[in-house]
Amino acid sequence: MEEVSLNSEPVFEMEDEGGESEMEGDCTIMESDGQNGEIHGSKEPVPPAVGMEFESYDEAYKFYNCYAKELGFGVRVKNSWFKKRGKEKYIVVLCCSREGFKRERGAKRSRPETRTGCPAMIRIKLMDSTVWRVIEVRLDHNHSNSPASARFYKSHRAKRNSQLYCDSGIALDGREYENLVVDGRYLKNYADQCNRLKLKEGDAQAIYNYFSHMQLTNPSFFYLIDVSDEGCLRNVFWADARSRAAYVYFGDVVAFDTMYLTKKYDIPFVSFLGVNHHGQTVLLGCGLLANDEVESFIWLFKAWLTCMSERSPYALITDQPRNVQKAVAEVFPRTNHRLCLWNIMQKVPVKLGGLPEYEAIKSAFNKAIYKSLTVDEFETAWEDMIQRYGVGDHEWLQALYEDRQRWVPTFLKDNFFAGMSTIQPSESINSFFEGYIHKDTSLKEFLGKYELALQKNHQKEAKADYESRNSSPMLKTRCYFELQLSKVYTKEIFKKFQCEVEHVYSCFNITQVHVDRPIITYIVKERSEGEQNSWEIRDFEVLYNAAEMDVHCICGWFNFKGYLCRHALSVLNYNGVEEIPPQFILSRWRKDFKCIYVPYHDSDNIDVNNPVQRYDQLYKHALQIVEEGVISQERYKVALQVLEESLNKLGSPSLQMWQ
């Protein structure tokens, strides 16, 4: 196979000739090995044949162009015929870009002849104003073809605009700009000339190879590239099909992780993370940022929102930088924004370590944050710390206090966060790429291992699905609440709930203190471990409504975690309630969640004439069958049968030609 240096000038014809044109487009039916720009198919490409039909001219062109890319030649429109009235095409001849010969135009310096009079072509015709049919085909070429060189043909190039570059070719800022060959050499030169995304040798080519590979093998793969007016590569965003599908199910609470950006790794990598029904971290998209300016974060958030069909998350957790907060306020104005508590607590030794009474201040700081059940308790504890240790003028503490509604638990306990209050190492992107990335990992090396890391985590989720469906957890008490939810929750979520059931024994002296029909207020005392291995007793207020079977604890555990706390369980048990009311069993934690949950499709707004939207809609439905099919061999056989029956029902003369 002919090898082409990525640093050499292309030798193929790149200019349009006369009235002929060479369209640009992407292909979504082939695979790329992601190495050296070489693109090939997982099986022999389907050749065009007389009688094939397509829903539109664009689909016909795309099919022939993808076939051409797989074999290694370019495509050009040789001739077009239009109806007498109007501008509607009804016959088009698509040919190999080496068809014919150049016409001399008196140029002082003529370029080398690259055309060979190649006869390869297809002729398509509009039939009854509904479908385009192939009416003539010539497959033979009079020259050699090289799949490794296909990307240099104009019909296989990509497009760019000053704001966003995407696989759909849509300029999100409403402006269109001239075409740009986006290959490793070109992107690297731009990055070197401009103070934008800093790439090492081979990084730009790695980006190009990875996106080309994913676009050919994963039709739902989505990416955007931010290019400045001067042509400088600045920011990049991408999300694969599984990330987009995961957001449909688990996009209620999202964490935005900037660890690799703020910790000065060689990779300026950022990611969007969620939590699945097993409590495992799932990737919901990622990107590369040139800097940590507010404009970069705004661009990234808008790109991610575009990818996720403009559906904002219910809650978003981010790090503390002001630029991130400003970007969130602009792009997600109605989202509950929370700052990462773990990130703040990690800074305590650095920010307060130099103070004379550091240990005492740290203890008071922790008490105000973790022991305050109400806003008033926090305000009192904070003021006491400030006054006692004279730290009222400490800038970092002042900034924290101003943001208290975004990170102190007592201010946020009434909002659902799926148990995520932090972006801890166990919850962060580290859980995905542990063992694959370190301080000096290059982007080229990282992208080479990216799919392996994702596959590892997909297998982890599939294993958890299987274990949750096919095993029964060991019960530790005789409480029916435990037995009830052992049949419902996934294995890992049940373990967490089981811990609350076990600790019901630490709750005692349940006292009715107030009645405001139909609501009864109880005080539940809990004995728990305090500082220095001592034991302490704390009071928790629990409201109970027998008529509505409603229970609410002041600790806010259910709102935050999604399952009932030991205090609420104690009150239910005290009132003779035998089963946990259904409103306190979140479907989100069920072992069959992806089966019973109907994803958000926004069907009324789907453009059925748009093949991309049709694909996304069908993919989300089909994914439910796939998720069920991987659970066991029996389910796999049923799912496979369902898919095969569906394909048979969709069979038609035009479709059968593709098989």
Side-chain angles (χ1 to χ4, degrees):
M1 181 177 293
E2 179 184 354
E3 293 294 330
V4 177
S5 171
L6 294 173
N7 293 320
S8 64
E9 291 294 325
V11 298
F12 304 113
E13 178 63 20
M14 295 298 182
E15 302 293 334
D16 296 342
E17 284 289 320
E20 301 166 352
S21 63
E22 194 172 356
M23 295 179 62
E24 297 182 349
D26 62 334
C27 299
T28 58
I29 61 172
M30 276 104 58
E31 293 184 353
S32 166
D33 62 5
Q35 298 294 327
N36 301 321
E38 183 176 334
I39 300 173
H40 59 82
S42 59
K43 57 183 179 180
E44 289 298 319
V46 179
V50 173
M52 280 186 172
E53 292 184 348
F54 304 88
E55 294 184 2
S56 67
Y57 165 72
D58 288 341
E59 288 191 11
Y61 177 87
K62 185 176 181 180
F63 163 74
Y64 191 55
N65 192 43
C66 290
Y67 166 76
K69 190 171 186 178
E70 187 77 0
L71 264 65
F73 67 94
V75 171
R76 209 174 63 245
V77 179
K78 179 181 180 182
N79 298 108
S80 298
W81 285 263
F82 295 81
K83 294 183 178 180
K84 293 182 178 180
R85 295 181 179 179
K87 298 182 179 180
E88 185 180 13
K89 288 183 289 191
Y90 72 98
I91 296 179
V92 177
V93 175
L94 303 177
C95 66
C96 173
S97 60
R98 293 198 185 187
E99 184 273 342
F101 297 93
K102 287 185 183 177
R103 295 188 294 273
E104 292 295 333
R105 297 185 179 181
K108 293 182 180 180
R109 180 184 177 186
S110 60
R111 286 176 292 179
E113 176 63 79
T114 57
R115 297 193 181 183
T116 62
C118 181
M121 53 79 74
I122 65 170
R123 187 187 303 270
I124 56 177
K125 182 177 181 180
L126 181 63
M127 310 298 293
D128 301 324
S129 299
T130 56
V131 297
W132 285 81
R133 181 179 300 165
V134 178
I135 60 175
E136 183 181 357
V137 175
R138 296 179 186 175
L139 297 178
D140 295 332
H141 297 261
N142 63 3
H143 56 88
S144 61
N145 294 318
S146 171
S149 306
R151 60 193 177 84
F152 290 112
Y153 287 103
K154 189 176 180 181
S155 63
H156 306 313
R157 295 186 205 165
K159 294 183 178 181
R160 70 103 170 167
N161 64 76
S162 68
Q163 289 291 327
L164 298 172
Y165 169 86
C166 64
D167 57 345
S168 62
I170 299 174
L172 299 184
D173 65 345
R175 296 179 291 172
E176 295 182 357
Y177 294 80
E178 76 269 15
N179 299 327
L180 172 69
V181 179
V182 182
D183 61 41
R185 172 178 52 80
Y186 212 51
L187 290 181
K188 185 179 186 301
N189 288 341
Y190 271 145
D192 289 342
Q193 296 168 6
C194 308
N195 185 21
R196 293 295 184 258
L197 189 61
K198 295 178 176 62
L199 303 176
K200 293 184 177 181
E201 183 178 357
D203 285 352
Q205 183 61 50
I207 296 175
Y208 174 73
N209 285 347
Y210 178 70
F211 285 176
S212 297
H213 168 71
M214 293 303 296
Q215 198 173 14
L216 294 176
T217 60
N218 194 325
S220 195
F221 181 78
F222 183 101
Y223 68 95
L224 297 173
I225 295 179
D226 178 22
V227 183
S228 71
D229 290 337
E230 295 78 22
C232 300
L233 177 63
R234 293 188 295 201
N235 305 305
V236 181
F237 168 80
W238 73 91
D240 64 10
R242 274 195 168 270
S243 292
R244 300 179 73 183
Y247 185 75
V248 174
Y249 292 106
F250 310 114
D252 48 358
V253 182
V254 177
F256 177 58
D257 192 346
T258 60
M259 184 191 73
Y260 294 138
L261 187 66
T262 58
K263 297 298 183 182
K264 306 303 179 184
Y265 275 62
D266 282 349
I267 303 175
F269 185 74
V270 294
S271 57
F272 296 89
L273 308 169
V275 173
N276 66 12
H277 54 317
H278 300 289
Q280 300 168 340
T281 303
V282 291
L283 188 63
L284 304 176
C286 44
L288 304 171
L289 295 184
N291 52 55
D292 56 0
E293 298 297 323
V294 64
E295 292 78 11
S296 294
F297 291 121
I298 289 176
W299 179 89
L300 184 75
F301 290 159
K302 287 183 176 180
W304 182 68
L305 199 56
T306 299
C307 175
M308 301 306 174
S309 304
E310 304 296 332
R311 183 186 174 197
S312 299
Y314 169 78
L316 181 64
I317 304 170
T318 73
D319 288 333
Q320 200 177 359
R322 289 292 177 185
N323 286 345
V324 175
Q325 296 188 53
K326 291 178 181 178
V328 171
E330 178 170 333
V331 183
F332 305 107
R334 291 180 294 275
T335 293
N336 293 315
H337 180 205
R338 179 174 194 153
L339 300 180
C340 173
L341 180 60
W342 181 83
N343 182 270
I344 291 173
M345 299 307 293
Q346 286 293 102
K347 295 178 181 178
V348 170
V350 177
K351 299 295 186 179
L352 304 180
L355 297 177
E357 299 179 82
Y358 167 66
E359 290 298 334
I361 295 174
K362 177 183 176 182
S363 178
F365 185 81
N366 289 340
K367 181 179 179 181
I369 295 169
Y370 294 115
K371 299 295 185 180
S372 300
L373 292 176
T374 66
V375 171
D376 288 342
E377 287 182 9
F378 169 79
E379 296 288 0
T380 300
W382 187 273
E383 182 63 24
D384 180 67
M385 176 187 69
I386 295 296
Q387 296 298 329
R388 178 175 298 183
Y389 302 105
V391 290
D393 58 349
H394 194 283
E395 292 185 5
W396 186 67
L397 290 177
Q398 288 178 344
L400 285 182
Y401 184 74
E402 292 175 1
D403 284 335
R404 62 191 181 283
Q405 295 183 354
R406 296 194 184 280
W407 66 275
V408 177
T410 190
F411 286 93
L412 297 161
K413 64 184 179 181
D414 290 332
N415 297 313
F416 180 67
F417 283 94
M420 294 178 67
S421 62
T422 68
I423 310 174
Q424 297 181 23
S426 61
E427 298 173 341
S428 73
I429 200 65
N430 274 355
S431 64
F432 270 84
F433 300 113
E434 183 179 0
Y436 293 94
I437 189 170
H438 48 77
K439 275 279 187 180
D440 300 320
T441 301
S442 68
L443 180 60
K444 178 181 178 181
E445 182 183 357
F446 170 67
L447 289 176
K449 300 177 179 179
Y450 180 84
E451 285 298 309
L452 294 176
L454 291 186
Q455 186 62 32
K456 177 193 70 174
N457 284 277
H458 297 158
Q459 292 174 351
K460 181 180 178 182
E461 180 176 333
K463 180 181 179 182
D465 281 336
Y466 179 84
E467 291 178 349
S468 293
R469 296 287 189 90
N470 295 279
S471 63
S472 299
M474 181 180 296
L475 302 182
K476 298 182 179 181
T477 72
R478 295 184 178 181
C479 178
Y480 185 75
F481 297 154
E482 183 185 13
L483 175 62
Q484 178 189 4
L485 293 192
S486 69
K487 302 175 182 178
V488 177
Y489 283 160
T490 60
K491 181 179 179 181
E492 291 303 317
I493 299 301
F494 174 71
K495 285 183 180 179
K496 296 178 180 180
F497 172 74
Q498 189 178 49
C499 182
E500 294 303 304
V501 175
E502 286 186 276
H503 281 83
V504 167
Y505 77 88
S506 65
C507 299
F508 64 98
N509 195 24
I510 302 173
T511 306
Q512 178 179 313
V513 295
H514 183 70
V515 178
D516 184 9
R517 293 296 180 185
I519 300 175
I520 303 175
T521 302
Y522 293 92
I523 294 296
V524 177
K525 293 184 179 296
E526 180 190 7
R527 182 182 293 104
S528 59
E529 188 174 353
E531 296 180 356
Q532 300 177 349
N533 296 323
S534 62
W535 291 88
E536 64 179 16
I537 296 176
R538 301 186 67 193
D539 292 346
F540 292 85
E541 182 182 82
V542 179
L543 305 181
Y544 175 65
N545 185 333
E548 301 292 335
M549 293 297 290
D550 189 31
V551 62
H552 176 76
C553 180
I554 196 171
C555 74
W557 193 267
F558 177 77
N559 291 330
F560 177 67
K561 296 281 189 177
Y563 49 87
L564 289 176
C565 63
R566 60 198 69 175
H567 321 113
L569 293 174
S570 297
V571 170
L572 289 178
N573 186 62
Y574 179 81
N575 282 275
V577 178
E578 296 182 355
E579 294 187 352
I580 293 178
Q583 65 266 34
F584 295 108
I585 306 177
L586 292 189
S587 297
R588 196 192 193 289
W589 301 133
R590 294 178 64 102
K591 60 182 69 177
D592 57 353
F593 172 65
K594 288 188 288 187
C595 177
I596 65 173
Y597 173 67
V598 179
Y600 172 89
H601 292 301
D602 198 16
S603 301
D604 294 338
N605 295 326
I606 289 295
D607 181 4
V608 295
N609 295 317
N610 186 321
V612 175
Q613 292 190 30
R614 291 202 304 268
Y615 175 88
D616 284 344
Q617 186 84 326
L618 291 171
Y619 179 87
K620 291 171 184 176
H621 283 291
L623 184 65
Q624 290 181 284
I625 300 177
V626 174
E627 296 288 358
E628 285 298 305
V630 300
I631 299 299
S632 65
Q633 291 185 4
E634 292 73 18
R635 288 177 177 270
Y636 165 76
K637 294 177 182 179
V638 173
L640 188 61
Q641 181 180 355
V642 169
L643 292 174
E644 289 177 345
E645 290 175 354
S646 298
L647 286 175
N648 290 333
K649 291 181 180 179
L650 289 172
S652 67
S654 61
L655 289 174
Q656 291 171 3
M657 292 181 181
W658 288 70
Q659 297 176 351

